[in-house]
Amino acid sequence: MSILIYAETAEGKFKKVAFELASYGKKVAEALGTTVTAVTVNAGDVSELAKYGVDKVLKVNSDKLSGFTAKAYADVIKQAAQKENVKLILLSSTTDSLYLAPMVAVALDAGFASNVVGLPVSTSPFQVKRNAFSNKAFNITEINTDVKVLSLAKNSYGIFESASAATAEDFSPSISDADFSVKVESVEKGSGKVTIADADVVVSGGRGMKGPENWGMLEDLAAVLGAATACSKPVSDLGWRPHSEHVGQTGKPVATNLYIAVGISGAIQHIAGINSSKVKLVINTDAEAPFFKVADYGVVGDAFDIVPRLTQKLKEFKANNS
C-alpha cells in the first residue's frame, strides 16, 4: 500500500509544489511504514523527484493530455490509485489541483480534506489540521473512509531532500472521449520571470501605484529579490496588470515567505487571500490603511520614494555579500 502524489508540471518541468508534496508524502509514508508513488503527466526528466523521497514514478505521456482537462486528469489519477492500491492520495492547492481533488475523491468514494497545513495529527483515527474561515482559524478533521484524499495548502510544509532510489514506469491509463466534454479554448499566461505559484517572495501593487506606467519600479524590486509581481483586484479590473497577477480571495491565494504590498489599502478579500504568507510588509502613505493591522512590518510613506531606495539598498547588499 503506497501513498500516491500527483506531481504537477508546467511545460514539462516540475512545479515547486511537486517537491513540497513529495517531501510531505515521504514523512507521512515513514509514519505509516509505506512508500511514495508519484504520477506525472507529460513530464520531462522525472529523476528529480527521487531527491525528495519518491520511490516510484508512474509516467503518463499522451498528446490528448497536452492541455489540462480536469475530468481527464482526475481519471488518470484515479486509475493510478487503483493500480497501486493506494489508500492515501495527496494533491497540492494549485488552481488545477483544486479542480482535481474533489473529482478524484468522488471517483474513489474517498473522504476529502482541503487546506491541510501539517502532518496528520493522528493516523488512527486519521486526523489532519486544516485552515478554516479564510485562514482565520484551524480545525481538526477526521476522515473515516478507506481511501483518503488530502489537498496540501501551499507553502505550509516546506521542501526537504530525502534521497531515494526511485524507479520509473510507463503508465497508459484508459482515456475516453467522455473525459473531454469540457474543452479549454485558451490559456492566459503571466509574463513574469517568476510565477506567483512558485514564488517564495511576491511584490504586489495596488491603486496607490497611480498607473501601469509606474510598475517598472516594482519589477525592479522583484528582480532583485527573485520575486513574482502581483496586484490587487482593482488594478487588474482597470487593466493596469493582467488578471493572472490578481492575488486575493477572489484571485490567486498566496502563501509566500514574504509578501510586499505597495499602495494596497487592504480590503478584507485581499487580506484573506494572502494571510497565509509568513511575513507581510506593507508600504502605504495612509497610516490608517487596514493592511497595517495584519502587517508584520509597515512603512508609512511615499512608495515612489521608498521602493527605489529599498531596491538600491538591496542591490548594494547583494553586491557586497556575493
Side-chain angles (χ1 to χ4, degrees):
M1 181 190 75
S2 177
I3 291 173
L4 181 71
I5 71 167
Y6 168 51
E8 284 192 57
T9 59
E11 298 179 350
K13 296 182 179 180
F14 289 111
K15 296 181 179 180
K16 189 183 75 170
V17 292
F19 304 134
E20 182 172 26
L21 209 60
S23 302
Y24 181 90
K26 177 64 174 178
K27 199 66 178 179
V28 177
E30 289 176 350
L32 296 175
T34 186
T35 57
V36 180
T37 297
V39 59
T40 66
V41 177
N42 294 332
D45 181 12
V46 301
S47 62
E48 197 171 7
L49 289 173
K51 293 197 302 185
Y52 304 96
V54 172
D55 300 288
K56 181 179 180 180
V57 182
L58 297 178
K59 298 169 56 180
V60 178
N61 289 290
S62 171
D63 290 339
K64 288 185 177 180
L65 300 171
S66 58
F68 177 77
T69 302
K71 193 172 187 304
Y73 275 53
D75 202 15
V76 167
I77 297 169
K78 180 197 77 170
Q79 292 180 54
Q82 292 172 331
K83 176 184 182 300
E84 296 298 307
N85 190 31
V86 303
K87 301 300 181 184
L88 180 60
I89 299 100
L90 304 177
L91 296 99
S92 63
S93 291
T94 63
T95 302
D96 287 354
S97 284
L98 287 174
Y99 280 109
L100 287 174
M103 298 180 75
V104 171
V106 170
L108 293 170
D109 197 22
F112 169 48
S114 60
N115 294 320
V116 174
V117 295
L119 294 170
V121 176
S122 167
T123 56
S124 183
F126 195 90
Q127 298 177 329
V128 289
K129 183 179 180 180
R130 305 168 56 223
N131 276 329
F133 304 117
S134 299
N135 303 324
K136 295 183 180 68
F138 300 104
N139 68 36
I140 302 299
T141 297
E142 183 174 319
I143 307 177
N144 296 315
T145 52
D146 183 42
V147 181
K148 303 165 182 64
V149 176
L150 302 183
S151 177
L152 185 67
K154 180 179 176 290
N155 211 22
S156 62
Y157 182 71
I159 297 175
F160 305 96
E161 292 193 13
S162 180
S164 62
T167 59
E169 175 185 323
D170 290 329
F171 176 48
S172 300
S174 174
I175 304 171
S176 69
D177 291 339
D179 286 334
F180 299 92
S181 56
V182 176
K183 296 182 180 180
V184 178
E185 294 292 338
S186 63
V187 177
E188 179 184 313
K189 294 185 177 181
S191 58
K193 294 180 180 179
V194 181
T195 65
I196 293 172
D198 290 333
D200 286 322
V201 181
V202 167
V203 177
S204 189
R207 279 182 293 186
M209 293 300 297
K210 299 181 180 179
E213 67 278 3
N214 296 319
W215 236 261
M217 70 179 190
L218 297 188
E219 292 171 339
D220 289 344
L221 177 59
V224 175
L225 293 171
T229 55
C231 67
S232 62
K233 185 178 187 298
V235 166
S236 63
D237 287 346
L238 287 166
W240 292 1
R241 300 297 290 179
H243 286 284
S244 59
E245 291 192 3
H246 167 205
V247 298
Q249 191 174 31
T250 57
K252 292 182 178 179
V254 295
T256 56
N257 289 324
L258 173 61
Y259 184 82
I260 302 176
V262 183
I264 301 175
S265 61
I268 190 170
Q269 294 89 349
H270 187 87
I271 292 173
I274 63 89
N275 208 35
S276 290
S277 294
K278 291 182 171 61
V279 177
K280 295 174 279 292
L281 166 63
V282 174
I283 301 172
N284 202 299
T285 55
D286 180 9
E288 301 301 318
F291 221 142
F292 283 116
K293 294 179 181 178
V294 299
D296 297 285
Y297 300 95
V299 180
V300 178
D302 186 352
F304 294 92
D305 174 43
I306 293 167
V307 172
R309 289 165 59 190
L310 176 59
T311 302
Q312 184 57 39
K313 289 293 184 182
L314 288 169
K315 286 180 178 179
E316 292 172 1
F317 178 82
K318 291 182 71 173
N320 294 330
N321 291 275
S322 58

